[in-house]
Amino acid sequence: MDAASGNWQQRAGERSLHVGIIGLGYVGLPLALLFSEAGFRVTGFDTDAEKVATLNAGESYIYRIEAAQIAAAKKADFSATTDFALIAKVDAILICVPTPLGDDHVPDIRAILSTMDSIAPHLREGQLVVLESTTYPGTTAEVVAPKIEAAGHRVMRDGATYGSTGGVLVAFSPEREDPGNTTIARAAIPKVVGGMSVEAGDAAAALYAGIFDRIVRVSRTEVAEMTKLLENIYRNVNIALVNELKLLCLRMGVDVWEVIDAAATKPFGFQPFYPGPGLGGHCIPVDPFYLSWRAKQFGFATRFIELAGEVNEAMPQHVLDTLTAALQARGTALAGAKVLVLGVAYKKDVDDLRESPALVIIEMLRLAGADVRYNDPFFPRVGSGRKYDLQMESVPLTDLVAYDCVLIVTDHSAYDYPALVAESRLVVDTRNGFSQDHPLLKPVLGRGGGIRLHFSLINKRIGKLYIF
């Protein structure tokens, strides 16, 4: 197809574009299904042969994606492959590979680099390449485009003339996945697009308009890259703020959860954020450090961002300190104590371990000499990953009295919180899972109606529940 002919909008409307999606994880697979459901032919690419085999068998490996969705996509000509030579057959290539943090908070873009090495020999002029992986501003122009050019292709850039054959179109469009969010349809989430040329931006906008209700065009790929970082740095900083306020409120005897609820009644100028045991997921714990690393290359110190990171990364230690104090109040040392951790996913009701604070907390408990078990309905087993090696299996929620403490790290909806208090010797709740109106607790507290329960208040009244 001639990239300069401007027929992307027409072909997207006709659903005649063949879309290739690289990386079939929590971002790539939902995106592939969205395109397939909209009538596009989709080919998924991944280096994991087991994932590819699972999808081609019509099955799913992500909890919130049902096998029926995969089967329906297969009927609509969706397929998965490990053969990157097939990149030559698609019109648009969307890259959704992981970009974690390396040692010392240095961006790890090896997956982007290896992806470009795999696809560059098979590209052709007129194709559209869009990076969706979260990264630092400049990655698309300084890493992706040069890799394409090093393979002998031309990349269309603003102000350059390539004649009638054009070149490879390159753009950036940040993913905005929110695992577990069932209130906002994926198609309703505005899609930000920035191209390295007007033609690339036009092509990407036309393609994504086939599945998203609103397209937000920005002037450059760097603007789109920075947009993604701002979204998550905003959340990171505000979560750090409430985490720090929580620690102060604990000392002052003030219920931070009640404070946040009261402040949230203001109809302007305030958005509620909530404290927790630490940050998890691929975006919020990672993205701010991508920008702070990049800023150093410009001789700039992002002090605000780095301070927020320090506050949030310290939360697992505060959890450990609270657990230690709660045990000591009952005459039990942490070393040798039997501790049951509830929830290892990074957020409630998702099957996602990425950067989960539970993994850090479990390893800290082990180092402190505790006998640790865990329960999570989404993870029957946790093996090893980039930063952990647990090799543990989920235990049933039986005989809770055998544990010195039950530590709630992830507040899954499946947990029966009143039963936990009734059956356990000690509960430390890092997520305020007991914030609702529980009949078991009302008679003890002598209050009614959906109140927020504060750590010190509950400890004094019933001696077994700490809400931290």
Side-chain angles (χ1 to χ4, degrees), residues 259-268 270 272:
V259 170
I260 295 171
D261 279 354
T265 63
K266 185 179 179 181
F268 56 90
F270 183 84

Side-chain angles (χ1 to χ4, degrees), residues 39-385:
F40 290 87
R41 181 185 176 191
V42 181
T43 299
F45 297 82
D46 204 289
T47 58
D48 188 332
E50 185 175 348
K51 282 185 178 180
V52 167
T54 298
L55 294 174
N56 287 332
E59 300 174 359
S60 175
Y61 42 78
I62 295 178
Y63 170 76
R64 69 184 189 279
I65 295 177
E66 298 178 356
Q69 294 175 266
I70 307 298
K74 279 178 58 62
K75 289 183 179 178
D77 209 17
F78 166 76
S79 63
T81 183
T82 59
D83 184 2
F84 283 78
L86 296 178
I87 284 291
K89 297 183 178 296
V90 305
D91 299 302
I93 301 109
L94 313 183
I95 302 171
C96 307
V97 296
T99 48
L101 279 175
D103 296 336
D104 299 322
H105 294 154
V106 174
D108 182 353
I109 63 168
R110 286 178 296 177
I112 294 177
L113 294 172
S114 63
T115 294
M116 295 312 302
D117 288 338
S118 297
I119 71 172
H122 310 293
L123 293 176
R124 51 182 169 80
E125 293 187 352
Q127 284 181 309
L128 170 67
V129 176
V130 183
L131 179 62
E132 288 213 1
S133 304
T134 303
T135 186
Y136 58 83
T139 304
T140 306
E142 300 170 15
V143 176
V144 173
K147 284 281 189 180
I148 295 172
E149 291 168 332
H153 308 292
R154 295 180 294 184
V155 172
M156 292 192 73
R157 301 174 184 267
D158 281 334
T161 302
Y162 295 100
S164 62
T165 58
V168 177
L169 301 162
V170 178
F172 182 85
S173 181
E175 59 89 4
R176 282 176 162 174
E177 272 293 306
D178 186 15
N181 189 335
T182 58
T183 61
I184 302 175
R186 287 190 177 92
I189 301 172
K191 189 64 170 165
V192 175
V193 173
M196 288 192 62
S197 63
V198 173
E199 293 89 347
D202 288 345
L207 175 67
Y208 285 119
I211 60 171
F212 290 103
D213 298 340
R214 181 186 174 196
I215 305 300
V216 180
R217 287 287 297 273
V218 296
S219 59
R220 302 165 56 197
T221 54
E222 290 86 350
V223 174
E225 290 162 338
M226 182 68 88
T227 298
K228 173 63 174 178
L229 296 184
L230 174 59
E231 293 170 3
N232 288 315
I233 289 169
Y234 169 78
R235 295 168 68 190
N236 180 69
V237 168
N238 281 281
I239 292 170
L241 173 63
V242 295
N243 274 333
E244 190 166 68
L245 286 177
K246 175 178 74 172
L247 301 179
L248 174 60
C249 284
L250 285 170
R251 294 192 180 194
M252 297 175 67
V254 176
D255 185 351
V256 69
W257 300 93
E258 186 177 3
V259 170
I260 295 171
D261 279 354
T265 63
K266 185 179 179 181
F268 56 90
F270 183 84
Q271 178 181 357
F273 289 83
Y274 299 97
L279 293 181
H282 174 64
C283 292
I284 303 177
V286 175
D287 296 1
F289 293 109
Y290 266 66
L291 187 58
S292 61
W293 174 86
R294 181 63 163 168
K296 291 181 176 67
Q297 298 180 351
F298 291 84
F300 188 87
T302 53
R303 293 179 295 170
F304 211 68
I305 295 172
E306 291 173 12
L307 177 59
E310 291 174 10
V311 171
N312 289 326
E313 287 187 337
M315 294 313 295
Q317 181 62 53
H318 290 300
V319 171
L320 193 69
D321 293 344
T322 299
L323 174 59
T324 301
L327 287 168
Q328 288 177 345
R330 299 174 66 85
T332 303
L334 180 58
K338 294 189 65 176
V339 179
L340 176 62
V341 172
L342 291 193
V344 294
Y346 86 86
K347 65 186 289 190
K348 69 185 298 182
D349 300 338
V350 301
D351 60 335
D352 195 339
L353 279 178
R354 290 176 296 176
E355 307 296 330
S356 173
L359 306 175
V360 177
I361 291 169
I362 288 174
E363 291 194 328
M364 292 174 71
L365 287 169
R366 283 179 162 181
L367 288 173
D371 180 4
V372 189
R373 303 286 189 275
Y374 87 90
N375 172 275
D376 192 306
F378 297 93
F379 291 97
R381 188 175 190 280
V382 176
S384 60

Side-chain angles (χ1 to χ4, degrees), residues 330 421 441 444-445 457-465:
R330 299 174 66 85
V421 173
L441 299 177
V444 179
L445 294 171
L457 171 66
I458 302 303
N459 183 43
K460 290 178 182 177
R461 297 284 181 99
I462 62 178
K464 66 189 302 186
L465 172 61

